[in-house]
Amino acid sequence: MKSVWAILLSAAFFLLVFTVYAEEQAPGADFETALPLDLSAGYVWVNNSLVKPFEDNHYYILRGLRSGVEVRVEGVLVGVESGLTTVSLYSNDQARLIGMDQVLGKNTRKRVELKYMLGYDPRSPEELAVYLRIGKSSGAALNYSLKIYTVEYSDAGSGRDAGGSYDTALPLSITTKDVVTRFTGYLSEKDYGNDFIDYYKLPVELARGQELLIEIKPSPELMVRASILNATDRFTLKSNRSEAKGEPLTLRIRGDWRTGLNNFYLVVENMGGTGGGGQYSVTVQIVTPTTTETTTATTISTSPWPSIDQETLRNLIIIIAIATVVIAVVVMIVMRRRAVRVEEEWGGWGTESW
């Protein structure tokens, strides 16, 4: 008899535990009661139904996220009763980031594909949170099966996104004459993320007269603008931009550097997301200008006339023309005076008596 009671008590205990666990795993009805899902392991699956008359939303909060990753939601919705449905992502501030809104017919299937790249947020430098909402209009009913996972898009292999300001700039390793710095970064397309600008702090060992050469090559779907700034006064030394998606650009700067360590900021942006999204590769190196020796030699001209530029030649022609006119006038005056004098002399002879 005792064994029967023990079995019944054990069954009741496990039933109670299962019931509590099931209640803890139920999706939330709003942001405050959202069910936590940990994505630090890479991905999770959610399979559930929105079929109850007064249950219009399921909320999940996605944890284990950081800047430099892209959140992706993929799966299917299956209509039980026709109506308007939504699958949407929200920020930690409960602002809608991106979503799919569609009418889902009875016994129909809709493919779900969402993605959103997370930029660096100084308010949450270590961990970010994103809400997932599955909703429906009154009278509608649906089943859903969704895979939620992340894709790595960190900048310069840092495990995070390069910040969007001087204070949150991502520090890079030192570039020297013998060490070339190479890294890749990512920017998000408008409406598919909030990572539109990357700041890097760039230390460089320079000597006087050396050139700093930075080459940036964006992926075919990305167009960028880049600037190099002096870290001391944040003055822009050089700026350049792609004229088309996928077009590379260079920043080449020569200066009378202070010999030793010089700090710069490198800024790469895609004009608020309008330049598209994707990867860009950066190469930073020091270039020593080539010194060309100039040899002075005496050149013997084979031409009988020295080389005269067009402007000088035109002036000479004008001067010659004026001189010719003046000489002609003078000659005419002299000839006329001489003719008058001769006439006077001949006239005097004609009146002389013999």
Side-chain angles (χ1 to χ4, degrees), residues 13-26:
F13 175 78
F14 283 113
L15 180 62
L16 177 61
V17 171
F18 178 80
T19 302
V20 172
Y21 181 78
E23 288 178 354
E24 289 179 349
Q25 295 302 304

Side-chain angles (χ1 to χ4, degrees), residues 166-327:
Y166 300 105
D167 298 331
T168 59
L170 184 64
L172 299 173
S173 58
I174 297 177
T175 300
T176 67
K177 182 180 178 182
D178 301 318
V179 177
V180 177
T181 299
R182 293 185 176 90
F183 64 92
T184 58
Y186 300 86
L187 294 171
S188 62
E189 188 178 358
K190 186 179 180 181
D191 300 328
Y192 293 95
N194 59 355
D195 180 19
F196 307 134
I197 184 168
D198 290 335
Y199 275 72
Y200 299 94
K201 192 168 184 179
L202 180 63
V204 183
E205 288 277 359
L206 285 167
R208 293 182 181 275
Q210 288 183 331
E211 293 183 355
L212 178 61
L213 177 62
I214 301 175
E215 299 170 298
I216 301 175
K217 185 176 181 180
S219 56
E221 63 276 9
L222 178 64
M223 178 171 61
V224 299
R225 178 169 57 202
S227 303
I228 185 75
L229 298 84
N230 190 313
T232 305
D233 53 15
R234 298 177 181 177
F235 180 77
T236 301
L237 301 175
K238 186 79 72 170
S239 183
N240 200 357
R241 63 173 292 171
S242 305
E243 295 299 329
K245 290 184 177 181
E247 183 180 79
L249 60 90
T250 60
L251 299 171
R252 194 181 189 106
I253 311 153
R254 183 178 182 182
D256 189 18
W257 315 113
R258 183 185 73 250
T259 300
L261 184 64
N262 290 262
N263 289 308
F264 303 92
Y265 285 108
L266 173 63
V267 184
V268 184
E269 58 180 308
N270 62 350
M271 292 71 75
T274 59
Q279 174 183 300
Y280 58 87
S281 60
V282 181
T283 301
V284 184
Q285 59 184 315
I286 296 172
V287 179
T288 302
T290 304
T291 304
T292 305
E293 295 184 0
T294 305
T295 304
T296 304
T298 303
T299 303
I300 301 175
S301 175
T302 58
S303 173
W305 301 100
S307 177
I308 301 175
D309 60 84
Q310 292 185 356
E311 183 68 20
T312 303
L313 183 60
R314 185 176 65 85
N315 293 335
L316 286 175
I317 292 173
I318 293 173
I319 292 171
I320 292 171
I322 293 173
T324 302
V325 172
V326 171
I327 293 173

Side-chain angles (χ1 to χ4, degrees), residues 27 48 74 83 107 120 141 143 159 208 223 267 300 353:
N48 218 315
E74 298 177 357
N107 298 324
Y120 187 86
N143 299 318
R208 293 182 181 275
M223 178 171 61
V267 184
I300 301 175
S353 58

Side-chain angles (χ1 to χ4, degrees), residues 32-263:
E32 286 70 26
T33 60
L35 176 65
L37 298 176
D38 187 6
L39 291 179
S40 59
Y43 69 93
V44 294
W45 281 91
V46 289
N47 299 279
N48 218 315
S49 301
L50 271 173
V51 294
K52 297 178 182 179
F54 301 105
E55 187 180 39
D56 294 332
N57 292 286
H58 281 176
Y59 282 84
Y60 301 90
I61 182 169
L62 311 181
R63 298 197 178 278
L65 301 175
R66 54 179 169 74
S67 66
V69 301
E70 184 177 76
V71 180
R72 294 190 181 183
V73 180
E74 298 177 357
V76 293
L77 307 180
V78 180
V80 177
E81 296 293 340
S82 299
L84 181 64
T85 65
T86 184
V87 179
S88 306
L89 293 176
Y90 293 80
S91 70
N92 194 40
D93 298 329
Q94 301 177 10
R96 176 162 159 151
L97 301 174
I98 192 172
M100 290 180 61
D101 305 312
Q102 60 273 308
V103 174
L104 184 63
K106 185 176 181 179
N107 298 324
T108 60
R109 297 166 61 92
K110 289 285 187 179
R111 179 73 182 169
V112 175
E113 290 184 357
L114 294 179
K115 62 178 182 179
Y116 196 86
M117 188 185 296
L118 300 174
Y120 187 86
D121 187 346
R123 298 171 299 174
S124 302
E126 300 299 328
E127 184 176 346
L128 299 172
V130 172
Y131 289 96
L132 170 64
R133 172 192 168 217
I134 298 95
K136 67 177 181 64
S137 61
S138 179
L142 65 109
N143 299 318
Y144 60 87
S145 177
L146 301 174
K147 180 183 179 181
I148 309 157
Y149 64 102
T150 59
V151 178
E152 180 77 19
Y153 285 111
S154 63
D155 294 325
S158 63
R160 73 170 180 91
D161 172 54
S165 66
Y166 300 105
D167 298 331
T168 59
L170 184 64
L172 299 173
S173 58
I174 297 177
T175 300
T176 67
K177 182 180 178 182
D178 301 318
V179 177
V180 177
T181 299
R182 293 185 176 90
F183 64 92
T184 58
Y186 300 86
L187 294 171
S188 62
E189 188 178 358
K190 186 179 180 181
D191 300 328
Y192 293 95
N194 59 355
D195 180 19
F196 307 134
I197 184 168
D198 290 335
Y199 275 72
Y200 299 94
K201 192 168 184 179
L202 180 63
V204 183
E205 288 277 359
L206 285 167
R208 293 182 181 275
Q210 288 183 331
E211 293 183 355
L212 178 61
L213 177 62
I214 301 175
E215 299 170 298
I216 301 175
K217 185 176 181 180
S219 56
E221 63 276 9
L222 178 64
M223 178 171 61
V224 299
R225 178 169 57 202
S227 303
I228 185 75
L229 298 84
N230 190 313
T232 305
D233 53 15
R234 298 177 181 177
F235 180 77
T236 301
L237 301 175
K238 186 79 72 170
S239 183
N240 200 357
R241 63 173 292 171
S242 305
E243 295 299 329
K245 290 184 177 181
E247 183 180 79
L249 60 90
T250 60
L251 299 171
R252 194 181 189 106
I253 311 153
R254 183 178 182 182
D256 189 18
W257 315 113
R258 183 185 73 250
T259 300
L261 184 64
N262 290 262
N263 289 308

